[in-house]
Amino acid sequence: MLPVVLALFLGIIQFGFVFKDSLAMSSGVRAGGRIASAEPLKLSFARDAAAQVGNAMTAVSTGATATLYVFDPSTTGDPLTTCSSRCVRYVWNAGTTTFDATSSAWDQCAKDSTQVGVVLRVQQQGVTGLSFLGRTLTERSVFAFEPASTTAVCQ
């Protein structure tokens, strides 16, 4: 009976960690999307979104690997399959607790876009080692860019 109760107890603990990480990711993706949507004329809108998501990633369980995409949903489609046009890919650097850009096909401001999407994919290592090994969590968010003046220029 003890092994069954112990396995159940460890499963409950693991589920709690997965739920906590999912909430932190969801909050971070929404915050990153809000930041990016408010800055369509800034050249740094994707970097600012990645920094905001990075703040939330500090609450995710250690040992997790993460990939972040900031993309134009009207042209890119699903960035998890292809991140080529109007898409910036970031990889989590646990040592510096920041996202580092690994590819950038959207290096100008987003003046001619209407939406921005943020996708975060995290691959977790099981905390207890008994359940949810190799669990992958994905959070998505799409926001409309704030209206920009037609005569405004990128900064």
Side-chain angles (χ1 to χ4, degrees), residues 81-133:
T81 57
T82 177
C83 181
S84 57
S85 173
R86 293 181 168 248
C87 179
V88 183
R89 181 177 185 265
Y90 295 90
V91 174
W92 179 245
N93 184 340
T96 61
T97 63
T98 59
F99 278 102
D100 298 329
T102 60
S103 70
S104 178
W106 199 8
D107 53 1
Q108 70 271 5
C109 72
K111 181 178 179 180
D112 57 343
S113 299
T114 58
Q115 294 180 323
V116 62
V118 179
V119 175
L120 177 62
R121 173 171 275 178
V122 174
Q123 294 177 332
Q124 291 184 315
Q125 311 294 324
V127 174
T128 61
L130 295 176
S131 59
F132 298 111
L133 291 176

Side-chain angles (χ1 to χ4, degrees), residues 52-72:
Q52 192 67 29
V53 176
N55 290 339
M57 276 298 294
T58 57
V60 174
S61 300
T62 58
T65 58
T67 308
L68 174 71
Y69 300 89
V70 179
F71 66 102
D72 182 351

Side-chain angles (χ1 to χ4, degrees), residues 40-53:
L41 297 178
K42 283 193 166 185
L43 295 172
S44 64
F45 76 96
R47 268 192 321 266
D48 294 345
Q52 192 67 29
V53 176

